[in-house]
Amino acid sequence: MAIYEPIEDKNGRRAYRLRSPVSLEPIGELECATSEEVQTAVDRARAAQVAWAATSFEERAAVMYRMTDLLIEQQDRIVDTVIRETGKPRAEAVSMEVYSSCDSLVFYAKRAKKFLRREKRRIHGVLGLLKKAYVVYKPRGVVAVITPWNGPFVLALNPTVQALMAGNAVIIKPSEVTPYSGALVADFFREAGLPDGLVQVVMGDGRTGADLVAAGPDKVSFTGSVATGRKIAVACGEQLIPYTLELGGKDAMVVCRDADIDGAAKGALMGSCMNTGQYCCGTERIYVVEDVYDEFLAKVVAGAKALRQSDDVDATDVGATFWDRQMAIIEDHVDEAIRSGARVEVGGGRNPELDGLYFQPTVLTEVTHDMKVMRDETFGPVVAIMKVSDEDEAIRLANDSPYGLNGNVWTKDAARGIELACRIETGAASVNDMALSYGVNEVPFGGVKDSGVGMVNGPEGLRGYCHAMPIIVHRFGSGPASSYPYTPKTAEDMSKAMKFFWGSSLMRRWFG
Ligand code: NAD
């Protein structure tokens, strides 16, 4: 049964019926915004942004702190909405959606002023004697935030907080699979006292998202699949709109011969099964050096067997798969792997005891890179483990992928862990931990290869919601570097100057 399915148009709009992945019971209907409504929202945002851009960082931060208080006081409102749409365990709804949101709000409220303050840059060489340079971070205007269903509240909130702190207005287009969790972000901002029009939500499907990009925002912050990311890149390219694309991954985990095997086994289970495996930085492929393979596998199998799965969100470790489309992908990958010779150590299929969308925590071995489960994004609670002869083979296999989002290395030698992590072709990595990179606000995050374009989060991400505008000031009165009329001597003088400034190693040191 489909989690969301089209129903007859309502009020001239496309409409869908939504169901709970836990019970498959209907939980509501989604009416898509029309393209005119989307355009009106963008125009309204553009008008509201002018006054917001003139506010101080302290005024913006005050809204973020009020919002944080509301999130803490009313966390059940968020958790209940997220659980209704996704069937996540309550612990994951609180940690991933509410805790991370509060962390993001306070982090950027506290630091945006420092990250975005006007910078003075020293100009090198002789020009520096005559000119001063500043870089001013100016808000871009209206940011379109288009989000997926796997972290439906936090993935709408986090870019929105950054865009707002940088002085922009935001239009959120939440996933059609989890629309009400995304819409809640705007409700909370309104209640926190954010002026009208600065955060709006357009509800709808992929066409609504395309309408939003076509409506001409000043930046698109997209999180979602590679296929949609490519379409957005084309649409933005046609209009020359800047964008960031946070896309899918196939993250590798490398277990070295000197790893803490207990910790690595726990990391493998958490990395593969957290959020029911529907986590962009989830661990999808595990390469274990043969010396420690048996010990590692025994611990992972024991741990996987101990994981609870039930439709009681307060008594389960691995929750529902949020969407039947994802369930079909997980089943396809696991079934194909089994048909091609993979060995099922634990699980291997849907949970027969539950009516909803539940795939059992699964451990597969004897997997190869010919199988989809090692090549394409599975996004399910599947721990796929391969034995390798040494760390070099592990890195070679880790890099045999079109994706490059995140990865992790497990070794007691942290310096070697960093060195191995650097050799993985990936946007981010961790040593002796999993899936952390998106949640550490100090650092930028973004994929390489098919996993994305641009960086989000951290000072770099925050600055991405701005145009870095250089302003060059002449120090003494006014004066261009050369003036009319040009004579043969003008070019001759320039040639002599080049030779003088950069023609010897001594002068290069001074003027370079
Ligand atoms: P999706 O691409 O199907 O949809 C994402 C959003 O794009 C939805 O809101 C959808 O309505 C909208 N959309 C669809 N077509 C569009 C179009 N033509 N123009 C504009 N918008 C359009 O992705 P999904 O299935 O919702 O999300 C799962 C994917 O997201 C996974 O691949 C996962 O790895 C990835 N993801 C990445 C990150 C990251 O930070 N890199 C984080 C979370 C999820």
Side-chain angles (χ1 to χ4, degrees):
M1 193 175 288
I3 285 302
Y4 91 107
E5 58 192 352
I7 50 178
E8 64 290 347
D9 284 7
K10 294 215 158 185
N11 311 315
R13 307 144 188 271
R14 297 182 304 287
Y16 297 91
R17 177 175 301 111
L18 305 173
R19 289 177 191 277
S20 153
V22 173
S23 63
L24 305 181
E25 294 296 321
I27 53 166
E29 289 182 358
L30 167 69
E31 288 181 30
C32 299
T34 63
S35 44
E36 292 76 25
E37 286 170 337
V38 172
Q39 186 65 62
T40 304
V42 171
D43 296 345
R44 217 174 131 225
R46 185 152 285 128
Q49 188 264 339
V50 178
W52 181 248
T55 56
S56 65
F57 285 108
E58 287 75 14
E59 287 170 283
R60 295 176 203 166
V63 176
M64 303 303 145
Y65 292 137
R66 282 200 296 277
M67 176 92 170
T68 311
D69 290 339
L70 286 178
L71 261 53
I72 294 170
E73 282 158 22
Q74 300 184 31
Q75 51 187 284
D76 285 350
R77 207 171 133 201
I78 305 164
V79 168
D80 291 349
T81 308
V82 167
I83 288 177
R84 199 162 66 100
E85 293 188 317
T86 67
K88 281 187 198 207
R90 187 176 304 278
E92 286 178 354
V94 174
S95 62
M96 187 172 165
E97 308 284 352
V98 190
Y99 183 97
S100 307
S101 294
C102 292
D103 190 34
S104 166
L105 279 158
V106 174
F107 179 84
Y108 292 105
K110 201 170 154 192
R111 292 171 182 80
K113 184 174 181 175
K114 179 174 154 215
F115 294 157
L116 300 179
R117 76 158 58 110
R118 189 177 79 182
E119 283 172 35
K120 187 167 181 197
R121 300 225 183 144
R122 199 181 144 267
I123 301 179
H124 74 283
V126 75
L127 200 63
L129 300 173
L130 303 171
K131 322 271 175 192
K132 299 188 269 195
Y134 299 95
V135 176
V136 176
Y137 293 98
K138 288 175 69 176
R140 289 191 177 273
V142 179
V143 178
V145 171
I146 303 178
T147 60
W149 44 268
N150 62 323
F153 185 81
V154 68
L155 292 177
L157 179 131
N158 183 37
T160 300
V161 169
Q162 295 177 48
L164 285 174
M165 281 309 299
N168 300 280
V170 175
I171 314 273
I172 302 170
K173 207 305 274 172
S175 167
E176 53 273 50
V177 184
T178 52
Y180 294 104
S181 303
L184 211 48
V185 172
D187 293 346
F188 271 109
F189 269 118
R190 220 176 0 261
E191 291 161 33
L194 189 73
D196 272 357
L198 280 174
V199 173
Q200 299 170 71
V201 173
V202 292
M203 298 288 255
D205 54 13
R207 274 167 67 188
T208 318
D211 285 343
L212 177 56
V213 178
D218 302 297
K219 160 139 188 176
V220 175
S221 165
F222 173 75
T223 312
S225 67
V226 176
T228 309
R230 285 189 208 282
K231 289 184 199 162
I232 288 183
V234 169
C236 286
E238 277 168 1
Q239 302 175 81
L240 299 180
I241 297 173
Y243 55 84
T244 52
L245 304 177
E246 291 303 313
L247 309 178
K250 190 73 190 165
D251 295 354
M253 168 174 181
V254 174
V255 183
C256 302
R257 60 171 56 78
D258 69 341
D260 161 18
I261 299 302
D262 226 27
K266 285 185 187 135
L269 287 168
M270 201 72 200
S272 304
C273 297
M274 190 179 82
N275 212 40
T276 322
Q278 303 157 124
Y279 186 54
C280 56
C281 299
T283 301
E284 297 243 339
R285 306 174 282 150
I286 302 179
Y287 305 104
V288 188
V289 171
E290 59 191 357
D291 312 32
V292 291
Y293 178 85
D294 291 340
E295 187 189 351
F296 175 80
L297 179 60
K299 291 194 181 214
V300 168
V301 166
K305 284 185 177 156
L307 289 174
R308 298 164 306 160
Q309 188 170 52
S310 95
D311 52 14
D312 176 353
V313 294
D314 290 304
T316 187
D317 299 314
V318 180
T321 296
F322 306 170
W323 191 8
D324 46 299
R325 187 189 76 171
Q326 202 57 49
M327 179 61 102
I329 293 171
I330 302 166
E331 287 183 305
D332 176 45
H333 286 194
V334 172
D335 290 351
E336 188 229 35
I338 295 169
R339 280 198 309 277
S340 310
R343 195 180 135 106
V344 179
E345 306 282 350
V346 182
R350 283 178 78 143
N351 190 325
E353 284 162 22
L354 297 169
D355 295 331
L357 297 179
Y358 288 90
F359 198 93
Q360 298 172 83
T362 291
V363 180
L364 296 179
T365 53
E366 310 293 327
V367 287
T368 70
H369 272 218
D370 296 327
M371 299 172 185
K372 289 182 197 168
V373 81
M374 295 300 274
R375 269 199 338 259
D376 302 337
E377 190 180 47
T378 305
F379 230 46
V382 179
V383 193
I385 308 174
M386 230 176 135
K387 190 194 286 185
V388 293
S389 56
D390 57 18
E391 286 81 359
D392 284 340
E393 188 187 7
I395 299 292
R396 185 180 59 73
L397 288 166
N399 290 339
D400 177 24
S401 171
Y403 293 101
L405 191 61
N406 198 40
N408 48 83
V409 177
W410 297 74
T411 165
K412 287 188 186 131
D413 179 347
R416 179 140 185 276
I418 294 171
E419 185 253 314
L420 289 169
C422 285
R423 287 172 55 198
I424 306 179
E425 293 160 4
T426 180
S430 48
V431 175
N432 297 331
D433 209 331
M434 35 58 66
L436 251 186
S437 316
Y438 188 90
V440 177
N441 287 320
E442 279 75 7
V443 296
F445 180 79
V448 297
K449 303 204 265 190
D450 281 359
S451 291
V453 175
M455 309 297 280
V456 298
N457 298 347
E460 294 85 350
L462 192 65
R463 288 178 188 146
Y465 292 100
C466 301
H467 174 73
M469 179 182 178
I471 300 180
I472 312 298
V473 180
H474 189 69
R475 285 184 192 275
F476 316 103
S478 58
S482 71
S483 54
Y484 299 127
Y486 297 144
T487 64
K489 195 168 172 302
T490 315
E492 226 174 83
D493 287 349
M494 289 307 286
S495 298
K496 280 188 192 153
M498 276 187 269
K499 193 156 179 234
F500 178 74
F501 294 139
W502 304 308
S504 71
S505 56
L506 180 69
M507 294 307 270
R508 276 199 283 269
R509 216 181 299 160
W510 277 48
F511 289 101

